Amino acid sequence: MASTAKSASARSSARSGRSRRTGRRDPLAITLLKQDHREVEGWFDEYEQLEAEGDKLALFQKIALALKVHTRLEEEIFYPEERGDVEEDMLDEAYVEHDGAKKLIAEIEAMRPGDEFYDAKVKVLGEYIKHHVKEEEQPGGIFPQAKKGGEDLDAMGERIKARKAELMAEMTPAKAN
Ligand SMILES: [Fe+2]
Ligand SMILES: [Fe+2]
């Protein structure tokens, strides 16, 4: 019970962009990346409740798009600009974890809900992402190290926001009608 309450408060503090420890606002880049994390975590939880194959496919497509855009934002902007501020090994591992996630996403995209292991692969992807997000957000992780570094993370946040809008437009599959 106590741990549930704690994680709920951690979640809501991340959503509001306030760190529990300092009470200070996160800089914009961190706030935006954490918002993406919370959104996709929510969708993985939602997926567990679904029964209909059409609903599963629609939600997985939303998850896949969000993860593709988010990993591009980190790989194009956040990770390269944090080289020097964040431990090299941690950044290298983050790229490798992104690649692992992309491979799993591609495997799921080649399948249909109802296929053997479809749900299991979505579940494992969710666990994999949760692990990766922890490496980014936990004390001593990539985000806390970035916050201590020299980059202007509010200015970077503006660039992340603009690039996200471009990527969403570019990568959203055209609706056939
Ligand atoms: Fe990442
Ligand atoms: Fe991330």
Side-chain angles (χ1 to χ4, degrees), residues 9 35 39 54 87 89 92 128 152 162 167:
S9 95
Q35 276 171 1
E39 178 176 64
E87 280 171 44
D89 289 359
D92 290 350
Y128 194 83
D152 181 345
L167 288 170

Side-chain angles (χ1 to χ4, degrees), residues 109-174:
E109 282 176 334
M111 298 166 71
R112 302 158 156 275
D115 284 354
E116 199 184 12
F117 298 132
Y118 189 95
D119 288 343
K121 281 182 192 251
V122 174
K123 172 101 184 178
V124 169
L125 177 66
E127 284 166 356
Y128 194 83
I129 295 298
K130 225 164 269 177
H131 164 82
H132 176 73
V133 160
K134 198 173 153 201
E135 304 271 309
E136 292 186 330
E137 294 190 19
Q138 73 189 350
I142 292 176
F143 290 2
Q145 286 190 31
K147 280 162 74 174
K148 283 196 205 147
E151 293 296 320
D152 181 345
L153 292 170
D154 284 317
M156 194 197 294
E158 296 297 340
R159 279 180 283 126
I160 286 175
K161 203 191 274 183
R163 186 67 181 129
K164 184 176 179 180
E166 280 177 7
L167 288 170
M168 288 298 290
E170 206 176 285
M171 295 170 84
T172 301

Side-chain angles (χ1 to χ4, degrees), residues 37 70-71 74-75 78-79 94-95 97-98 132-133 136 142-143:
H37 293 169
H70 181 83
T71 51
E74 289 183 337
E75 288 171 19
F78 185 72
Y79 292 170
Y95 281 99
E97 287 176 1
H98 281 194
H132 176 73
V133 160
E136 292 186 330
I142 292 176
F143 290 2

